[in-house]
């Protein structure tokens, strides 16, 4: 079985969003040039994502998408990684949303070959980021956006979004959109990490 990996990671991108507009900044590192690798804070929970490919000639693409006031922001670096694989192959990677800095979010996507994608977002001094995971099927779902992580901005004092998420989850620890629709429209600003699987020819 031939498996191809393609990651947009010979370059490391840093991206920030301010207010309703995103400011994109591209950082490059020459092949073979040494520089200290950025890492998530040691206290950041590490979450493994595992999906099994169920069809030959499958393309599994990981995306990030940000929404502000119901509208998605254009992002030229929306793709975090791509797997091309055949049936029965297990896609596995790690997603680490680092929220240890209250007003700056760093999202690390770490892959088995040691490569990583890093995306950054910032918020105002009176706001912070929080996140929750989605329940997902191990078997890959095709031709559909499958959400994996929901990251939202909240007010540091009122924490209304965090309270709403906790009330929605109840005793659960993940969002299960198959059982109950999630009201994304209640959030002024949020970020989704998701994948789309398709068949390539």
């Amino acid at each position: 079985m031939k498996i191809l990996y393609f990651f947009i990671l010979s370059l490391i991108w840093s991206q920030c969003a301010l207010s309703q507009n995103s400011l994109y900044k591209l950082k490059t590192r020459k092949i073979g040039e040494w520089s200290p690798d950025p890492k998530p804070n040691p206290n950041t929970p590490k979450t493994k994502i595992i999906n099994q490919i169920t069809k030959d000639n499958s393309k599994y693409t990981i995306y990030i998408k940000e929404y502000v006031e119901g509208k998605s922001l254009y992002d030229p670096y929306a793709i975090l990684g791509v797997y091309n694989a055949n049936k029965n192959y297990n896609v596995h990677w790690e997603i680490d949303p680092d929220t240890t800095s209250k007003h700056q979010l760093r999202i690390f996507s770490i892959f088995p070959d040691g490569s990583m994608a890093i995306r950054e977002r910032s918020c105002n001094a009176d706001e912070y980021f929080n996140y929750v995971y989605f329940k997902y099927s191990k078997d890959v779902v095709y031709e559909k956006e499958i959400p994996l992580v929901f990251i939202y901005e909240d007010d540091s004092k009122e924490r209304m979004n965090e309270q709403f998420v906790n009330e929605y989850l109840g005793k659960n620890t993940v969002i299960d959109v198959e059982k109950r629709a999630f009201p994304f429209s209640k959030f002024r600003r949020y970020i989704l990490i998701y994948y789309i699987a398709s068949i390539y020819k």
Side-chain angles (χ1 to χ4, degrees), residues 99 102-103 105 121-123 128-130 151-153 189:
T99 59
K102 289 185 177 180
H103 313 305
L105 167 71
R121 298 292 190 276
S122 59
C123 59
Y128 72 102
F129 291 104
N130 205 347
I151 304 169
Y152 59 92
E153 186 183 72
R189 181 187 181 194

Side-chain angles (χ1 to χ4, degrees), residues 138-180:
K138 181 179 178 181
D139 287 346
V140 165
V141 177
Y142 288 81
E143 307 299 339
K144 183 180 179 181
E145 291 187 7
I146 304 301
L148 301 169
V149 188
F150 175 70
I151 304 169
Y152 59 92
E153 186 183 72
D154 203 357
D155 183 272
S156 298
K157 293 182 179 179
E158 297 183 356
R159 295 179 177 265
M160 294 182 63
N161 287 339
E162 183 176 352
Q163 181 180 348
F164 175 82
V165 169
N166 290 336
E167 290 175 354
Y168 171 92
L169 292 174
K171 296 181 180 180
N172 299 313
T173 57
V174 294
I175 299 172
D176 188 348
V177 293
E178 296 297 325
K179 288 187 176 180
R180 183 183 175 191

Side-chain angles (χ1 to χ4, degrees), residues 4-128:
L4 302 175
Y5 299 98
F6 173 69
F7 297 111
I8 313 175
L9 299 169
S10 57
L11 306 178
I12 295 180
W13 286 290
S14 175
Q15 182 183 56
C16 301
L18 305 176
S19 183
Q20 298 184 23
N21 300 312
S22 284
L23 173 64
Y24 302 103
K25 182 171 59 177
L26 181 65
K27 296 180 180 178
T28 63
R29 185 173 62 195
K30 295 179 181 179
I31 296 175
E33 180 183 10
W34 183 89
S35 66
D37 290 330
K39 297 178 181 179
N41 186 286
N43 296 323
T44 300
K46 296 174 173 55
T47 301
K48 302 288 186 181
I49 303 294
I50 301 175
N51 285 115
Q52 185 172 53
I53 299 294
T54 59
K55 299 178 182 180
D56 286 338
N57 300 323
S58 292
K59 182 178 181 180
Y60 176 103
T61 308
I62 306 162
Y63 293 92
I64 181 172
K65 186 184 291 186
E66 180 178 354
Y67 293 84
V68 175
E69 296 181 349
K71 297 180 180 180
S72 62
L73 301 184
Y74 171 70
D75 184 352
Y77 311 123
I79 296 178
L80 301 178
V82 180
Y83 284 80
N84 291 334
N86 288 327
K87 185 177 179 180
N88 295 326
Y89 179 76
N90 280 331
V91 172
H92 57 99
W93 56 288
E94 183 179 301
I95 181 73
D96 304 335
D98 186 346
T99 59
T100 52
S101 176
K102 289 185 177 180
H103 313 305
Q104 184 175 14
L105 167 71
R106 296 192 303 167
I107 304 167
F108 291 83
S109 303
I110 304 173
F111 302 96
D113 65 353
S115 60
M116 70 172 69
I118 306 169
R119 300 294 184 270
E120 297 183 4
R121 298 292 190 276
S122 59
C123 59
N124 296 325
D126 57 348
E127 296 170 325
Y128 72 102

